[in-house]
Amino acid sequence: MTKQELFENIKRKKSFLCVGLDTDINKIPDYLLSEEDPIYTFNKAIIDATAPYCVAFKPNAAFYEGEGIKGIWAMEKTIEYIRTKYPDQFIILDAKRGDIGNTSERYASSAFEKMKAHAITVAPYMGEDSVKPFLKYNGRWVILLALTSNKGSLDFQLMEDANGERLFEKVLKKSQEWASDEQMMYVVGATQGKMFEDIRKIAPDHFLLVPGVGAQGGSLEEVARYGMNKQCGLLVNSSRAIIYADNTEEFANAARAEAKKVQGEMARYLQAIIS
Amino acid sequence: MTKQELFENIKRKKSFLCVGLDTDINKIPDYLLSEEDPIYTFNKAIIDATAPYCVAFKPNAAFYEGEGIKGIWAMEKTIEYIRTKYPDQFIILDAKRGDIGNTSERYASSAFEKMKAHAITVAPYMGEDSVKPFLKYNGRWVILLALTSNKGSLDFQLMEDANGERLFEKVLKKSQEWASDEQMMYVVGATQGKMFEDIRKIAPDHFLLVPGVGAQGGSLEEVARYGMNKQCGLLVNSSRAIIYADNTEEFANAARAEAKKVQGEMARYLQAIIS
């Protein structure tokens, strides 16, 4: 999917919502556990319910790997389900990979050839040759960690060099030598709204994947105010607040209502850039 | 496995070799491809051949994930094989994980409960709460990326703050607030031998996992000279140079010969600390 296509989807659906599929076997409604593949069954219902209100889905690899082979199989089927039934959805494999070149090559083929995701989240710590193998796939995306939303982001990401430049700013700058905004996005944590101003100075045109709105406590209004650019440039993720909105047979309807509510708010913020 | 137990194994076997199981279906001998599970068959032969000369095995998750469900299954069986047949071997899942707390928890349960590895490699970029969930398992280890051996390590890991402290040094210092040397090791790249002096100033007692000797070009002699402490404190990994030493039916014998050669060199360096 190209950047322009993603923006067209955002305009058409008046949404820049990404639904995070952090599907936890211990949190889904009990009555689904008698299904042959409870995780996949849950995901299908969530996807069907929320697809009209979002432009992206983000399966979180950890939750599937944690269930072993069954979980991996559920993840593969989930991505295939989205690809075939909702081909306009942008699919992000949230895996935060990154290793030496020949190993990153394997993670890339796993994400893009086996899993057929459109994008994968990648950790920058090991530098250029750990990221580049993911960029060999035309039309696929790297979403590089820049500034995350967790407490631990303070430990290293805000480290300053002698000129006051912070590590996450170095990541934003250096990585622009590796790929353009047509193939790279950044993870930028939502609990630090004003940081978006600094980030937009360095990366004015890039899409930013913003976790942490909802359960992690970020403000959508603040993200939109400081982070939005002329092509929107934002994918805001919500996982738990949507997929676990309810724990009964009404879970999918509750997820739909929650996604619709967020989309409604997003539509208002999008008015500024959609004529 | 405790630090003391690991050191006892090193003394007994006169080796601090870790054999990296970066098993690539495209690189194993052709005649194995007719086996029901070629990756597992290859691994068993490599493990049997090299176990007398090493103290650790390191399956590289990327290579197994790249083969999908079959690969994951081969990885699970490989770890189980080592655990049951060679219970004195330290098993490192090389996965370089790291995410927000509730997600790292899942990676931790996957590595330690499902896969039953003794240790997992973890990326530090997201800080404390991304690492701590891995430390909740008694007797299991986090091996945190500090200074890697690849070219891209120059991009961010050597960034200096106003006092000249580098990012990898901050990682070494900060992370010692999270766990002791009884539960944490560090990945330190072998191609930068003199860096070991700086690292030993900050982490004198920790075990260091050193990749990059062999195919990646590091010098074992230099690593031992600058990196060894009184309890050895080193696990030196070799993957490709050992497991792909030969591509015929003799592959296991060739791997054995290569591991034995490295072990012989290690035995000489260990004389300084073993009475």
Side-chain angles (χ1 to χ4, degrees):
Chain A
M1 192 180 293
T2 66
K3 193 181 167 193
Q4 186 59 36
E5 285 166 347
L6 179 58
F7 182 45
E8 294 300 330
N9 291 338
I10 288 170
K11 283 194 287 190
R12 184 169 44 82
K13 300 177 101 169
K14 295 188 174 52
S15 170
F16 47 97
L17 174 61
C18 173
V19 172
L21 299 170
D22 295 17
T23 308
D24 184 340
I25 191 88
N26 301 310
K27 286 189 182 165
I28 67 178
D30 283 344
Y31 79 94
L32 290 176
L33 299 179
S34 60
E35 295 281 333
E36 194 188 328
D37 187 340
I39 292 176
Y40 180 52
T41 304
F42 177 84
N43 282 354
K44 279 193 296 184
I46 292 287
I47 291 161
D48 288 341
T50 61
Y53 308 107
C54 69
V55 293
F57 285 105
K58 180 171 74 64
N60 182 332
F63 286 79
Y64 302 88
E65 290 177 18
E67 297 305 314
I69 287 162
K70 271 189 190 170
I72 304 288
W73 182 223
M75 179 161 65
E76 282 191 22
K77 285 191 295 182
T78 296
I79 291 177
E80 185 62 21
Y81 184 77
I82 303 167
R83 276 170 44 80
T84 51
K85 196 157 177 201
Y86 303 100
D88 62 343
Q89 294 285 344
F90 188 67
I91 304 170
I92 301 165
L93 182 63
D94 194 3
K96 302 195 173 65
R97 298 300 194 250
D99 207 312
I100 60 170
N102 80 319
T103 301
S104 275
E105 269 175 30
R106 301 307 296 251
Y107 282 127
S109 74
S110 182
F112 296 143
E113 292 177 33
K114 286 261 166 199
M115 290 287 172
K116 298 195 171 69
H118 296 112
I120 180 171
T121 54
V122 174
Y125 193 76
M126 293 181 69
E128 178 170 358
D129 54 298
S130 71
V131 178
K132 281 218 159 160
F134 296 99
L135 296 166
K136 285 184 189 162
Y137 291 79
N138 277 331
R140 308 299 178 95
W141 293 78
V142 163
I143 309 183
L144 198 64
L145 301 185
L147 184 64
T148 58
S149 58
N150 62 320
K151 187 162 160 280
S153 66
L154 305 173
D155 288 330
F156 306 119
Q157 295 166 24
L158 300 185
M159 170 185 174
E160 283 183 21
D161 70 10
N163 302 317
E165 187 169 83
R166 290 163 290 188
L167 174 57
F168 77 89
E169 291 169 320
K170 275 194 197 300
V171 168
L172 290 169
K173 283 184 186 170
K174 189 81 192 169
S175 61
Q176 290 185 43
E177 298 169 15
W178 310 335
S180 77
D181 59 350
E182 296 284 342
Q183 222 191 340
M184 195 176 281
M185 303 183 182
Y186 298 106
V187 171
V188 172
T191 55
Q192 317 188 32
K194 288 192 180 165
M195 286 284 198
F196 279 99
E197 286 188 307
D198 295 343
I199 285 162
R200 281 302 184 201
K201 283 178 198 154
I202 305 172
D205 299 324
H206 285 74
F207 261 88
L208 307 178
L209 173 63
V210 185
V213 167
Q216 287 179 62
S219 150
L220 181 55
E221 192 275 334
E222 204 174 338
V223 171
R225 189 191 327 155
Y226 293 108
M228 195 175 280
N229 65 21
K230 284 179 189 170
Q231 285 196 302
C232 182
L234 292 171
L235 288 173
V236 170
N237 183 75
S238 179
S239 301
R240 286 166 276 177
I242 289 177
I243 72 174
Y244 303 130
D246 185 276
N247 195 29
T248 70
E249 294 190 8
E250 288 300 309
F251 75 94
N253 287 330
R256 176 186 292 112
E258 192 61 33
K260 190 177 177 181
K261 194 178 80 182
V262 178
Q263 181 272 325
E265 192 179 344
M266 288 179 168
R268 293 202 299 279
Y269 304 138
L270 282 167
Q271 282 175 355
I273 58 164
I274 301 177
S275 51
Chain B
M1 192 180 293
T2 67
K3 193 180 168 196
Q4 186 61 35
E5 285 167 346
L6 179 57
F7 182 45
E8 294 299 330
N9 291 338
I10 289 171
K11 284 194 287 190
R12 183 168 45 81
K13 301 177 101 169
K14 296 187 173 55
S15 171
F16 47 97
L17 174 62
C18 173
V19 172
L21 299 170
D22 296 16
T23 308
D24 183 341
I25 191 88
N26 301 309
K27 285 190 182 165
I28 67 177
D30 283 344
Y31 80 92
L32 290 177
L33 299 179
S34 59
E35 296 280 334
E36 194 188 325
D37 188 340
I39 292 176
Y40 180 53
T41 304
F42 177 85
N43 282 353
K44 279 194 296 184
I46 293 285
I47 291 161
D48 289 340
T50 60
Y53 308 108
C54 69
V55 293
F57 285 104
K58 181 170 73 63
N60 182 332
F63 286 80
Y64 302 88
E65 288 177 20
E67 297 307 314
I69 287 161
K70 270 189 190 171
I72 305 287
W73 182 223
M75 180 160 67
E76 284 192 19
K77 286 190 295 181
T78 297
I79 291 176
E80 185 61 21
Y81 185 77
I82 302 168
R83 277 171 44 79
T84 51
K85 196 157 177 200
Y86 303 100
D88 62 343
Q89 293 286 344
F90 188 67
I91 305 170
I92 301 164
L93 182 63
D94 194 3
K96 302 193 173 68
R97 298 300 194 251
D99 208 311
I100 60 169
N102 80 320
T103 301
S104 274
E105 269 175 30
R106 302 306 297 249
Y107 283 128
S109 73
S110 182
F112 296 143
E113 292 176 33
K114 285 262 167 200
M115 290 286 174
K116 299 195 171 68
H118 296 111
I120 181 171
T121 55
V122 174
Y125 193 77
M126 293 180 68
E128 179 170 358
D129 54 297
S130 71
V131 177
K132 281 220 161 157
F134 295 100
L135 296 166
K136 285 183 188 161
Y137 292 80
N138 277 332
R140 309 298 178 95
W141 293 78
V142 163
I143 309 183
L144 198 64
L145 300 186
L147 184 64
T148 59
S149 58
N150 62 320
K151 187 163 160 281
S153 66
L154 304 173
D155 288 332
F156 306 118
Q157 295 166 25
L158 300 184
M159 171 186 175
E160 284 184 18
D161 71 11
N163 301 317
E165 188 170 82
R166 289 163 290 186
L167 174 57
F168 77 89
E169 291 168 321
K170 276 194 196 302
V171 169
L172 290 169
K173 283 184 186 170
K174 190 82 192 166
S175 61
Q176 290 184 43
E177 299 169 14
W178 310 335
S180 76
D181 59 349
E182 296 284 342
Q183 222 190 341
M184 194 175 283
M185 303 184 181
Y186 298 106
V187 171
V188 173
T191 55
Q192 316 188 33
K194 287 189 180 167
M195 287 282 199
F196 279 99
E197 286 188 307
D198 295 343
I199 285 162
R200 281 302 185 200
K201 282 177 200 156
I202 305 173
D205 298 324
H206 286 74
F207 261 88
L208 308 178
L209 172 63
V210 186
V213 166
Q216 287 179 60
S219 151
L220 181 56
E221 192 276 334
E222 205 175 338
V223 170
R225 191 192 324 157
Y226 294 107
M228 195 174 281
N229 64 22
K230 284 178 186 168
Q231 284 196 304
C232 183
L234 293 172
L235 288 173
V236 170
N237 183 74
S238 179
S239 301
R240 286 166 276 178
I242 289 177
I243 72 174
Y244 303 130
D246 185 276
N247 196 29
T248 70
E249 294 191 8
E250 288 300 309
F251 76 93
N253 287 330
R256 177 186 291 112
E258 191 62 33
K260 190 176 177 183
K261 194 177 80 182
V262 178
Q263 181 272 324
E265 192 180 343
M266 288 177 167
R268 293 201 301 279
Y269 304 138
L270 283 166
Q271 282 174 355
I273 58 163
I274 301 177
S275 52

